[in-house]
mmCIF file of all heavy atoms in Angstrom:
data_model
loop_
_atom_site.group_PDB
_atom_site.id
_atom_site.type_symbol
_atom_site.label_atom_id
_atom_site.label_comp_id
_atom_site.label_asym_id
_atom_site.label_seq_id
_atom_site.Cartn_x
_atom_site.Cartn_y
_atom_site.Cartn_z
ATOM 1 N N GLY C 43 0.152 5.629 -25.541
ATOM 2 C CA GLY C 43 0.425 4.310 -24.975
ATOM 3 C C GLY C 43 1.746 4.267 -24.222
ATOM 4 O O GLY C 43 1.837 3.698 -23.124
ATOM 5 N N ILE C 101 18.390 -3.380 -11.078
ATOM 6 C CA ILE C 101 19.531 -3.174 -10.178
ATOM 7 C C ILE C 101 19.585 -1.721 -9.716
ATOM 8 O O ILE C 101 19.750 -1.434 -8.517
ATOM 9 C CB ILE C 101 20.839 -3.583 -10.873
ATOM 10 C CG1 ILE C 101 20.854 -5.093 -11.146
ATOM 11 C CG2 ILE C 101 22.042 -3.190 -10.025
ATOM 12 C CD1 ILE C 101 22.001 -5.555 -12.005
ATOM 13 N N GLY C 144 23.122 11.751 -29.040
ATOM 14 C CA GLY C 144 22.381 10.504 -28.903
ATOM 15 C C GLY C 144 22.778 9.436 -29.902
ATOM 16 O O GLY C 144 23.811 9.537 -30.598
ATOM 17 N N VAL C 217 10.585 -0.742 -7.667
ATOM 18 C CA VAL C 217 11.229 -1.494 -8.751
ATOM 19 C C VAL C 217 10.221 -1.805 -9.856
ATOM 20 O O VAL C 217 10.528 -1.687 -11.052
ATOM 21 C CB VAL C 217 11.872 -2.786 -8.207
ATOM 22 C CG1 VAL C 217 12.323 -3.690 -9.345
ATOM 23 C CG2 VAL C 217 13.046 -2.450 -7.297
ATOM 24 N N ALA C 223 8.489 1.795 -16.596
ATOM 25 C CA ALA C 223 9.091 2.933 -17.288
ATOM 26 C C ALA C 223 10.174 2.462 -18.258
ATOM 27 O O ALA C 223 10.305 2.991 -19.381
ATOM 28 C CB ALA C 223 9.679 3.898 -16.267
ATOM 29 N N PHE C 293 4.378 28.297 -23.764
ATOM 30 C CA PHE C 293 3.219 28.774 -23.023
ATOM 31 C C PHE C 293 2.343 27.637 -22.508
ATOM 32 O O PHE C 293 1.541 27.841 -21.597
ATOM 33 C CB PHE C 293 2.379 29.712 -23.915
ATOM 34 C CG PHE C 293 3.113 30.959 -24.325
ATOM 35 C CD1 PHE C 293 3.611 31.101 -25.607
ATOM 36 C CD2 PHE C 293 3.316 31.982 -23.406
ATOM 37 C CE1 PHE C 293 4.292 32.248 -25.983
ATOM 38 C CE2 PHE C 293 3.988 33.134 -23.774
ATOM 39 C CZ PHE C 293 4.492 33.266 -25.064
ATOM 40 N N PHE C 298 -0.649 24.208 -18.197
ATOM 41 C CA PHE C 298 -0.582 23.006 -17.368
ATOM 42 C C PHE C 298 -0.581 23.374 -15.886
ATOM 43 O O PHE C 298 -1.225 22.727 -15.067
ATOM 44 C CB PHE C 298 0.674 22.193 -17.691
ATOM 45 C CG PHE C 298 0.565 21.401 -18.969
ATOM 46 C CD1 PHE C 298 1.673 20.766 -19.492
ATOM 47 C CD2 PHE C 298 -0.638 21.286 -19.642
ATOM 48 C CE1 PHE C 298 1.583 20.019 -20.662
ATOM 49 C CE2 PHE C 298 -0.743 20.559 -20.809
ATOM 50 C CZ PHE C 298 0.370 19.919 -21.325
ATOM 51 N N ASP C 350 5.427 -11.921 30.083
ATOM 52 C CA ASP C 350 6.140 -11.617 31.324
ATOM 53 C C ASP C 350 6.940 -10.335 31.121
ATOM 54 O O ASP C 350 7.950 -10.321 30.410
ATOM 55 C CB ASP C 350 7.068 -12.773 31.695
ATOM 56 C CG ASP C 350 7.637 -12.629 33.094
ATOM 57 O OD1 ASP C 350 7.100 -11.808 33.869
ATOM 58 O OD2 ASP C 350 8.624 -13.315 33.402
ATOM 59 N N ALA C 363 8.541 7.652 30.396
ATOM 60 C CA ALA C 363 7.139 7.351 30.085
ATOM 61 C C ALA C 363 6.674 6.078 30.765
ATOM 62 O O ALA C 363 5.514 5.955 31.163
ATOM 63 C CB ALA C 363 6.955 7.239 28.573
ATOM 64 N N ALA C 406 9.087 -10.951 27.776
ATOM 65 C CA ALA C 406 9.142 -12.323 27.267
ATOM 66 C C ALA C 406 7.741 -12.776 26.885
ATOM 67 O O ALA C 406 6.772 -12.512 27.598
ATOM 68 C CB ALA C 406 9.732 -13.269 28.304
ATOM 69 N N GLN C 503 -18.237 0.347 15.359
ATOM 70 C CA GLN C 503 -18.081 -0.787 14.450
ATOM 71 C C GLN C 503 -16.646 -0.890 13.948
ATOM 72 O O GLN C 503 -16.119 -1.999 13.757
ATOM 73 C CB GLN C 503 -19.042 -0.640 13.278
ATOM 74 C CG GLN C 503 -20.507 -0.782 13.655
ATOM 75 C CD GLN C 503 -21.417 -0.477 12.486
ATOM 76 O OE1 GLN C 503 -21.248 0.523 11.786
ATOM 77 N NE2 GLN C 503 -22.384 -1.354 12.249
ATOM 78 N N GLU C 593 -6.774 6.626 47.009
ATOM 79 C CA GLU C 593 -6.233 7.937 47.355
ATOM 80 C C GLU C 593 -5.725 8.687 46.131
ATOM 81 O O GLU C 593 -5.897 9.900 46.017
ATOM 82 C CB GLU C 593 -5.086 7.763 48.364
ATOM 83 C CG GLU C 593 -4.462 9.091 48.796
ATOM 84 C CD GLU C 593 -3.330 8.879 49.789
ATOM 85 O OE1 GLU C 593 -3.131 7.727 50.223
ATOM 86 O OE2 GLU C 593 -2.659 9.871 50.096
#
Side-chain angles (χ1 to χ4, degrees):
I101 294 171
V217 170
F293 297 105
F298 283 171
D350 191 15
Q503 292 174 313
E593 180 180 353

